[in-house]
Amino acid sequence: MTTDSGSSGAARRGMGFILLVALANAGGVIAFLPLLSLMLPVKIAEIAGEARIGLFTATVIAGAIAASLSNIAFGWASDRTRARGGGRRGWAALGLILLAASFATVALAQTPAAILIAVILFQVAVNALLAPLFAIMADEVPGTQMGLSGGLIALGSPLASAVGAAMIGIGFATDAARLAFIFAMVGLCVVPLLRVPSLAAVDPIADAQPRLAGRDLAVAWLSRLLVQIAGNVLSLYLVYYFVSIDPDLSAAKQVGPIGQLMTIAYLLPLPAAVLLGRWSDRIGRRKPFLLAAAAVAALGLLGLAVARDWAVAAPAFALYALGSSVFLSIHSGFAMQLLPSAAHRGRDLGLINLTNTLPALIGPALAWALSTPRDFGPVMLLLAVLTLAGGILVTAIRQQG
């Protein structure tokens, strides 16, 4: 790599520290996945009834705008703190405090306007937590271990899905109790890293060949964006998708089986993501793994497009989750190695994070235009094409990898 967030000569980190980084990032996923994928669709269905998709789409779009701006802002703020000799952990601690407050607003929301405002506040809070956590990984893990670290980031989705399934299985009586449980799990994951003193950056990034670095980072950004659109649609509309193929069961009754499916589907890719990430570290190449993973994810989306019952849809979703999880985890480390400047890691990662938040603008618009409460087939076909295109686009990156 011409531009690398961790040079080959940088000191390697111990597995304990890398696991703490992965666990903290998993806490960030736990903060949003059970709420957005399981609780919010049901809450909005109860509030809006047949108008649920419209309200849900408006809520998601407003939240995505808030997430996009706040992630960049908190990333930039943590850059400033670090430049003055401080660390980023204080910002992550602030994110935890804001998250608790935002969960309270979600629990209390009972009208369309209230849930809209609550989700905006929630997105600001969760990105106040996520922005510094991701920058800590870029700061303190060398590039020669980014494949392994990125692979371990795949731990986030299965852990978050397991928390969601546990939340449902325990049978909490109120939204407040469910959200308190989620917050406790977030704290258990994030606090251990916050208690570890800030480490000096593993190496200074040399701002070499910025035009090449900037061009390659833009291509990597677009490839991730295309793949993430499908991930956004599925994470937000999965409950409604399964209602469309099994309309005899209400959304509330589908949540339990869907939570179990998500746990299994996101757990299975973890060994593959870790092993392939470590393999990519050893051979110094990421692109072949990224292309293959995108192809697998696209195949799963094709299965979802043609499925008419759980027997086909469940394994198709698991196949999609396998390819998508491997792609996104390896891509995370790959993108960090393309960052052009050490001084602006938090801000630049906030810009990369737009590939996570912009799909929340694009995905719902596609779902609104191409799907109905009874048929998600056309949108799944388009998502398959976009996902495969994202994998192919990685091959246009000029730097080695």
Side-chain angles (χ1 to χ4, degrees):
M1 292 263 178
T2 303
T3 305
D4 195 336
S5 64
S7 66
S8 59
R12 293 175 63 83
R13 293 303 190 207
M15 181 56 72
F17 178 77
I18 290 177
L19 287 173
L20 283 182
V21 171
L23 184 64
N25 279 279
V29 180
I30 293 169
F32 68 81
L33 187 63
L35 172 60
L36 294 181
S37 295
L38 298 175
M39 289 185 63
L40 190 61
V42 174
K43 191 174 184 76
I44 286 181
E46 292 171 350
I47 291 173
E50 285 299 312
R52 61 187 180 272
I53 291 182
L55 177 58
F56 191 70
T57 300
T59 301
V60 167
I61 289 175
I65 294 171
S68 301
L69 298 176
S70 58
N71 195 282
I72 296 171
F74 283 107
W76 172 83
S78 71
D79 283 339
R80 299 287 293 175
T81 301
R82 182 172 173 273
R84 294 180 178 132
R88 305 184 193 270
R89 285 162 173 76
W91 288 102
L94 174 63
L96 280 176
I97 296 170
L98 295 176
L99 185 67
S102 72
F103 276 175
T105 64
V106 172
L108 293 171
Q110 297 297 327
T111 66
I115 195 64
L116 182 68
I117 294 171
V119 169
I120 291 172
L121 295 176
F122 160 74
Q123 288 285 16
V124 171
V126 78
N127 281 278
L129 173 64
L130 289 171
L133 285 181
F134 216 50
I136 288 170
M137 176 177 167
D139 283 342
E140 302 180 21
V141 176
T144 53
Q145 293 177 286
M146 277 297 181
L148 173 62
S149 298
L152 286 169
I153 284 180
L155 179 68
S157 292
L159 270 183
S161 299
V163 168
M167 175 190 71
I168 295 166
I170 292 172
F172 293 108
T174 64
D175 284 344
R178 296 183 191 101
L179 290 168
F181 174 74
I182 293 172
F183 182 76
M185 297 300 103
V186 174
L188 286 174
C189 292
V190 172
V191 169
L193 179 65
L194 300 188
R195 292 176 61 86
V196 176
S198 298
L199 302 176
V202 292
D203 64 305
I205 297 179
D207 297 331
Q209 299 188 25
R211 290 184 181 178
L212 181 60
R215 181 259 183 201
D216 281 351
L217 188 60
V219 175
W221 186 94
L222 182 58
S223 72
R224 187 180 180 92
L225 175 70
L226 293 176
V227 173
Q228 282 283 68
I229 293 172
N232 175 268
V233 171
L234 285 175
S235 68
L236 295 174
Y237 292 89
L238 193 61
V239 171
Y240 298 153
Y241 168 82
F242 277 102
V243 170
S244 76
I245 64 172
D246 189 5
D248 293 334
L249 289 179
S250 67
K253 292 182 178 178
Q254 298 256 20
V255 166
I258 291 170
Q260 295 171 1
L261 172 62
M262 289 174 65
T263 301
I264 296 170
Y266 287 127
L267 181 61
L268 291 177
L270 181 58
V274 173
L275 290 173
L276 293 176
R278 185 70 187 102
W279 187 4
S280 73
D281 282 339
R282 288 183 178 276
I283 68 174
R285 302 192 66 191
R286 319 280 190 204
K287 288 185 281 189
F289 301 97
L290 292 169
L291 178 58
V296 170
L299 186 60
L301 289 165
L302 287 176
L304 289 171
V306 302
R308 293 295 177 265
D309 54 43
W310 266 77
V312 175
F317 177 74
L319 187 63
Y320 162 78
L322 172 63
S324 176
S325 295
V326 171
F327 180 93
L328 295 175
S329 61
I330 294 178
H331 192 284
S332 295
F334 187 38
M336 287 182 187
Q337 292 181 277
L338 299 174
L339 294 176
S341 172
H344 305 294
R345 281 190 177 115
R347 182 204 64 189
D348 291 345
L349 286 170
L351 294 172
I352 292 174
N353 184 66
L354 291 175
T355 63
N356 300 324
T357 56
L358 286 181
L361 303 177
I362 301 169
L366 294 178
W368 177 260
L370 298 176
S371 64
T372 70
R374 304 294 183 184
D375 185 13
F376 279 77
V379 74
M380 293 300 166
L381 285 173
L382 177 59
L383 295 176
V385 173
L386 294 178
T387 298
L388 185 58
I392 293 172
L393 196 57
V394 170
T395 63
I397 295 174
R398 294 177 184 175
Q399 295 187 62
Q400 180 64 29

